[in-house]
């Protein structure tokens, strides 16, 4: 594996989950695979789970790890071609990327959507430049349009906790005070569409996602109707995608907050969220602290999804 940015890069999903669960049973079985190999983790945006889980995954494989916070511990980087660099950005990615590649064997990149220009965001300009110019295998630690390590961990978690072969999985929009990218929602849709799950997306009018990611999912604008009989509820906020509203917050309607009343409509569903979560905006305290909340095991599986991806990249070197 030379790149990991989307669901298709993982190959057959059942094989990937099987491999991931084997790694989880013995996460040090390949602790010499990464000997004398170096992972460079590059963060254009902040992180908690991604930083810690990915670093731990690489360490489990015996790798050296370097972490670079671009906006804090390095020169500010210009990402656009053709600009006159007379501002506060001292170095261009076109020089920085091959330099970074010369110091490592694998690169992980985290770079969020700017939420100002949809075309630029959905071209994935930053991570695509790393793939093109670094000369190294590159994986996404969240990009403008997808968060594949999170969605892989979500899939692993559902497979671990499902009670029926074909569970009903519901992705629900929930309110948030800030504009957030569509990356987690897009990615979750993409990964769920690989499976044979009964997959439903529910959100208010105006929050439609890119149809390319929604795929075959059923879209339901009535949240309570969507929750009926669900086995898993995955809550996530995203900003508007369509037209002139791209990147905007159209609503903070708390009628969409996931609460115990709505969860009572489900088939005793598990509650999921990628974290961090705004309590009593996205979900009530009662729900996230309930025995049916699996947000912590879900977060723990971030180590496993990352280790599976890095292992495959090491094996291909």
């Amino acid at each position: 594996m030379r790149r990991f940015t989307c669901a298709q890069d993982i190959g057959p999903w059942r094989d990937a989950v099987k491999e991931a669960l084997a790694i989880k049973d013995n996460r040090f079985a390949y602790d010499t695979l990464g000997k004398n190999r170096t992972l460079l983790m590059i963060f254009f945006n902040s992180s908690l789970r991604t930083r810690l889980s990915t670093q731990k995954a690489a360490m489990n494989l015996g790798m050296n790890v370097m972490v670079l916070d671009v906006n804090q511990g390095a020169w500010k980087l210009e990402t656009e071609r053709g600009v006159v660099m007379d501002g506060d950005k001292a170095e261009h990615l076109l020089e920085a990327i091959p330099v970074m590649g010369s110091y490592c064997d694998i690169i992980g990149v985290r770079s969020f959507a700017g939420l100002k220009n949809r075309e630029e965001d959905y071209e994935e300009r930053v991570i695509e430049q790393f793939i093109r110019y670094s000369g190294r295998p590159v994986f996404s630690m969240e990009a403008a349009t997808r968060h594949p390590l999170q969605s892989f961990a979500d899939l692993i978690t559902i497979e671990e906790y499902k009670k029926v072969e074909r569970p009903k999985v519901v992705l629900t929009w929930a309110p948030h005070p800030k504009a957030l990218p569509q990356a987690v929602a897009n990615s979750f849709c993409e990964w769920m569409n690989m499976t044979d799950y009964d997959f439903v997306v529910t959100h208010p009018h105006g929050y439609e996602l890119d149809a390319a990611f929604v795929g075959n999912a059923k879209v339901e604008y009535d949240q309570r109707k969507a929750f009926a009989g669900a086995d898993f509820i995955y809550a996530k906020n995203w900003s508007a995608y369509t037209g002139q509203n791209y990147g905007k917050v159209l609503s903070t309607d708390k009628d969409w907050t996931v609460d115990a009343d709505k969860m009572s409509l489900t088939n005793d569903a598990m509650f999921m969220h990628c974290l961090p979560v705004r309590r009593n905006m996205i979900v009530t305290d009662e729900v996230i602290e309930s025995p049916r909340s699996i947000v912590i095991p879900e977060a723990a599986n971030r180590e496993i999804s990352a280790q599976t991806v890095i292992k495959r990249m090491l094996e291909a070197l």
Side-chain angles (χ1 to χ4, degrees), residues 60-77:
N60 292 348
L61 293 165
M63 295 189 78
N64 304 310
V65 182
M66 298 188 295
V67 179
L68 177 65
D69 290 294
V70 171
N71 295 319
Q72 297 179 30
W75 301 113
K76 289 187 177 180
L77 296 177

Side-chain angles (χ1 to χ4, degrees), residues 153-203:
D154 297 335
L155 176 59
I156 294 166
T157 306
I158 292 171
E159 284 294 293
E160 286 183 306
Y161 282 88
K162 70 181 186 181
K163 303 297 184 184
V164 295
E165 187 58 32
R166 186 173 181 264
K168 180 178 179 181
V169 179
V170 178
L171 169 64
T172 181
W173 180 93
H176 194 284
K178 295 174 61 180
L180 299 183
Q182 300 93 36
V184 170
N186 285 345
S187 198
F188 189 74
C189 287
E190 189 173 64
W191 284 73
M192 292 300 101
N193 278 317
M194 286 200 307
T195 72
D196 59 353
Y197 301 161
D198 179 8
F199 180 47
V200 179
V201 181
T202 184
H203 54 73

Side-chain angles (χ1 to χ4, degrees), residues 19-20 23-24 26-31 33 53-54 56-61 149 152 301-314:
E19 182 177 355
I23 287 170
K24 189 171 184 177
N26 185 0
R27 55 194 83 194
F28 301 108
Y30 302 94
D31 61 356
L33 185 61
S53 63
T54 307
K56 179 63 163 58
M59 292 166 63
N60 292 348
L61 293 165
L149 287 177
F152 187 15
N301 276 335
R302 289 294 309 279
E303 177 186 345
I304 306 307
S305 64
Q307 188 167 337
T308 306
V309 169
I310 296 169
K311 171 181 173 288
R312 289 187 174 191
M313 287 188 161
L314 286 168

Side-chain angles (χ1 to χ4, degrees), residues 232-252:
F232 293 89
I233 299 296
Y234 195 108
K236 185 70 181 80
N237 174 268
W238 59 88
S239 59
Y241 166 77
T242 55
Q244 297 300 313
N245 288 325
Y246 177 70
K248 294 182 179 179
V249 175
L250 304 181
S251 170
T252 55

Side-chain angles (χ1 to χ4, degrees), residues 163-164 227-232 263-270 292:
K163 303 297 184 184
V164 295
F227 274 42
D231 299 293
F232 293 89
M263 291 297 288
S264 71
L265 303 172
T266 71
N267 183 28
D268 204 18
M270 299 288 188
R292 307 301 291 174

